[in-house]
Amino acid sequence: MLGTTQGFLRALGEARLITPLRSAGGHRRYSRYQLRIAARARELVDHGTPIEAACRIIILEDQLEEAQRLNAEYRRATESAEPTAAA
C-alpha cells in the first residue's frame, strides 16, 4: 500500500514512531494516521534522511502542529472573553 518493506515498518515501530495494534493471529494492524506517518517517514528517507532523524522530524512536526492548534484555540477563547471597547 505504501510501497515500503515490512522491515521499514518494523524500524518505525522500533523507533517508537508508530505502534501498531496486533490481530488475534499476531499480524500488525496500522491505523490510517499511522499509515500517513509511515508515508511521511518514507518520503524523508527517500530524500536521504536517516530513519532516526526522519522519526525525530516527524515527531517535531506533530508537536508543532499541536502547539499551533492549541495557540489558535487560546486566541479564540481570549478574543471572545475580551469586552468590546465602548464608543
Side-chain angles (χ1 to χ4, degrees), residues 63-83:
Q63 288 174 345
L64 175 60
E65 185 179 326
E66 178 67 7
Q68 288 172 332
R69 185 188 64 76
L70 291 172
N71 195 14
E73 284 181 16
Y74 174 74
R75 281 191 179 137
R76 281 192 298 274
T78 301
E79 289 169 359
S80 66
E82 290 178 356

Side-chain angles (χ1 to χ4, degrees), residues 12-14 16-22 29-31 34:
L12 295 180
E14 289 170 8
R16 299 186 191 272
L17 183 62
I18 57 176
T19 305
L21 296 175
R22 296 285 183 154
R29 301 287 181 203
Y30 297 95
S31 69
Q34 289 172 326

Side-chain angles (χ1 to χ4, degrees), residues 13-65:
E14 289 170 8
R16 299 186 191 272
L17 183 62
I18 57 176
T19 305
L21 296 175
R22 296 285 183 154
S23 70
H27 298 283
R28 291 176 181 84
R29 301 287 181 203
Y30 297 95
S31 69
R32 290 180 187 187
Y33 174 75
Q34 289 172 326
L35 292 175
R36 283 195 310 269
I37 295 293
R40 176 69 176 130
R42 170 73 190 259
E43 178 185 328
L44 290 169
V45 170
D46 285 350
H47 285 97
T49 305
I51 194 165
E52 297 82 12
C55 292
R56 184 66 182 142
I57 288 168
I58 292 166
I59 289 167
L60 291 171
E61 287 174 342
D62 196 48
Q63 288 174 345
L64 175 60
E65 185 179 326

